[in-house]
Amino acid sequence: MLLTSGQISMTISSAVVFIFTSLLFLSGYILQQQTVRNLQSVIKPPRPARVAPVQDSAPIPALAALEFGDPPGSKGHSAFQSLLNLGGPPGGWKKMAHVQVVSDHMRVCSSIMLFADLHRHKSKAGRVLLYPKSWSDGEGLEDEHTDPLLVTSRRLLKAAAKRYSVVLRAVDSITETVDEKSLPPGALSHLFSLTSYNRILYLSAPGLLLNPKPLECLFSKRSHSPVAGLSDGGAPPHRDTSILLIQPSKDEHRRLLDAHRSDPALSSHHLLKAKYPTLNALLSSPAMENDEAPFFVRPSDLRAANTLQNATTFLSLAGFVHLGDGRLPGPEYDIPRATFSKASPEGAEARKVWDAVYSRFREERMDVCGLDLEPWRGL
């Protein structure tokens, strides 16, 4: 049977339409699959490769903070992510916590300011504040009308719990201390009692948290020691309680509590020295040269930073600036300019850091606590 020219033309036209329709369908399908894969990669990014753990025998260099705080994709950001991906902190971020201890009303705001900075930086670690049980005991309620400091402290504690998800814990045996570099006597044992956490990081207030990321890398530090503290690089190295990384333990809590009860006047510094003579070094000496910035900065470090070249860079990279200074009464006080200038560093850039930190502390004190500086009547 012979096909007519009309039938042949229709067959060819149908074949062409079929071919182009199939090609159009295939191209649409391929484009759809690519779009789906792109969306999946955005919603659920691939798991980062595991890296070698930090060895317990080597302290994390203080100047390593220079490698952190950079934008995604940069060398510094990759270094920070590598530390965070050491299998993650032991037990995950829910098992990590930043802890503050207050023994007097003047330090309450300073501790809450630190939690406010952690909240602003979206820290994943928990937040715990230990305070004297007497502040919340029933017999202390009648003091509210006669003790305005107690009223303010209770207001600030409630605000911290509500705004910054701070866990408040009233404890016994916390007495006041005049040493701003030391934990209040008895407080060290309470830190070890926080066994719902695998690691806790204590920073001594008052101070200013500029960049929590370098400090939170410490949660991933592999260590078999129950406590690691600050090292000055000396021989033998001096340890203080300005910053502590602790692995809570019921046994250690009981041991330290017994030691405190046997000698209530024993300071936390001497208690650490007696019970942990081989205390692990958490950080190496925080010396500052050029534009390098350590995890933890003390006033004495700023005074020695004569070669610091860029205050702006330093403020963007440094971790925590501790403002407990033997030459000044504290950042909570309205210090006369002449006294303040006399205690400030000699280096021009270091002085800029000094001025900026104290100015920012005053602003945050007002923003977070609604408190201005306290009047100072001299030493």
Side-chain angles (χ1 to χ4, degrees):
M1 178 179 178
L2 298 177
L3 298 175
T4 64
S5 58
Q7 291 175 324
I8 294 173
S9 177
M10 183 177 293
T11 301
I12 294 173
S13 299
S14 299
V16 170
V17 171
F18 175 78
I19 292 172
F20 278 97
T21 302
S22 299
L23 291 174
L24 183 62
F25 172 79
L26 289 174
S27 63
Y29 177 77
I30 293 172
L31 182 61
Q32 181 191 47
Q33 293 303 308
Q34 289 177 342
T35 303
V36 170
R37 282 194 294 270
N38 291 336
L39 289 173
Q40 288 176 338
S41 65
V42 172
I43 297 173
K44 188 178 181 180
R47 298 181 63 182
R50 295 176 65 89
V51 298
V54 177
Q55 298 299 319
D56 180 46
S57 58
I60 297 177
L63 301 184
L66 189 63
E67 298 295 329
F68 306 115
D70 297 330
S74 65
K75 179 182 177 182
H77 185 269
S78 300
F80 173 64
Q81 290 300 326
S82 295
L83 276 180
L84 291 188
N85 292 327
L86 297 175
W93 284 105
K94 290 184 178 180
K95 288 292 185 177
M96 306 294 112
H98 292 275
V99 180
Q100 285 289 289
V101 180
V102 294
S103 59
D104 63 273
H105 299 295
M106 187 62 67
R107 294 289 179 257
V108 175
C109 177
S110 299
S111 294
I112 294 176
M113 285 168 57
L114 188 143
F115 290 132
D117 286 332
L118 290 169
H119 177 79
R120 178 167 53 86
H121 286 280
K122 296 181 172 58
S123 169
K124 297 180 181 179
R127 298 149 205 166
V128 181
L129 190 148
L130 307 183
Y131 66 95
K133 189 177 180 181
S134 60
W135 291 4
S136 57
D137 281 345
E139 61 267 19
L141 292 178
E142 64 269 15
D143 297 333
E144 275 202 355
H145 301 293
T146 59
D147 187 355
L149 293 178
L150 179 61
V151 176
T152 300
S153 293
R154 286 175 173 171
R155 172 181 66 82
L156 293 176
L157 292 175
K158 292 177 182 178
K162 183 177 181 180
R163 298 175 187 172
Y164 311 124
S165 303
V166 177
V167 177
L168 303 178
R169 186 162 178 174
V171 295
D172 293 315
S173 305
I174 294 185
T175 55
E176 294 187 16
T177 177
V178 295
D179 184 2
E180 294 178 342
K181 293 183 179 180
S182 178
L183 274 168
L188 185 62
S189 62
H190 289 299
L191 293 179
F192 279 95
S193 72
L194 302 175
T195 53
S196 57
Y197 301 98
N198 292 345
R199 299 273 179 87
I200 62 173
L201 184 64
Y202 166 80
L203 295 172
S204 179
L208 199 64
L209 185 65
L210 301 176
N211 182 7
K213 290 182 179 180
L215 289 164
E216 295 202 323
C217 289
L218 300 175
F219 284 127
S220 294
K221 185 178 185 293
R222 305 296 171 88
S223 174
H224 301 291
S225 172
V227 58
L230 191 66
S231 169
D232 65 354
H238 172 72
R239 306 283 190 250
D240 63 38
T241 56
S242 298
I243 174 172
L244 291 174
L245 180 67
I246 290 176
Q247 299 183 49
S249 162
K250 291 182 179 179
D251 292 337
E252 294 297 324
H253 166 59
R254 194 177 303 110
R255 190 161 75 102
L256 292 172
L257 190 59
D258 290 341
H260 174 67
R261 286 172 176 170
S262 63
D263 188 0
L266 190 65
S267 69
S268 296
H269 168 75
H270 289 95
L271 186 60
L272 276 175
K273 186 176 180 180
K275 297 300 180 182
Y276 306 101
T278 58
L279 182 69
N280 275 20
L282 179 62
L283 304 175
S284 58
S285 178
M288 296 176 291
E289 299 294 338
N290 300 321
D291 292 335
E292 296 176 324
F295 292 101
F296 189 91
V297 186
R298 296 166 292 196
S300 58
D301 302 323
L302 286 173
R303 294 191 187 99
N306 294 323
T307 59
L308 192 67
Q309 295 180 359
N310 193 313
T312 302
T313 301
F314 179 90
L315 289 169
S316 66
L317 296 177
F320 180 79
V321 180
H322 181 232
L323 295 177
D325 188 3
R327 299 188 186 183
L328 294 174
E332 304 95 343
Y333 292 93
D334 190 7
I335 307 167
R337 188 64 193 177
T339 304
F340 182 80
S341 299
K342 186 177 180 180
S344 64
E346 294 182 1
E349 293 300 309
R351 194 180 305 114
K352 289 180 181 179
V353 173
W354 180 276
D355 291 340
V357 168
Y358 271 87
S359 176
R360 191 181 302 183
F361 184 94
R362 178 172 188 165
E363 292 174 1
E364 290 196 13
R365 179 176 165 88
M366 176 59 72
D367 292 342
V368 174
C369 306
L371 298 176
D372 203 348
L373 297 182
E374 299 292 332
W376 184 62
R377 297 178 176 85
L379 295 174

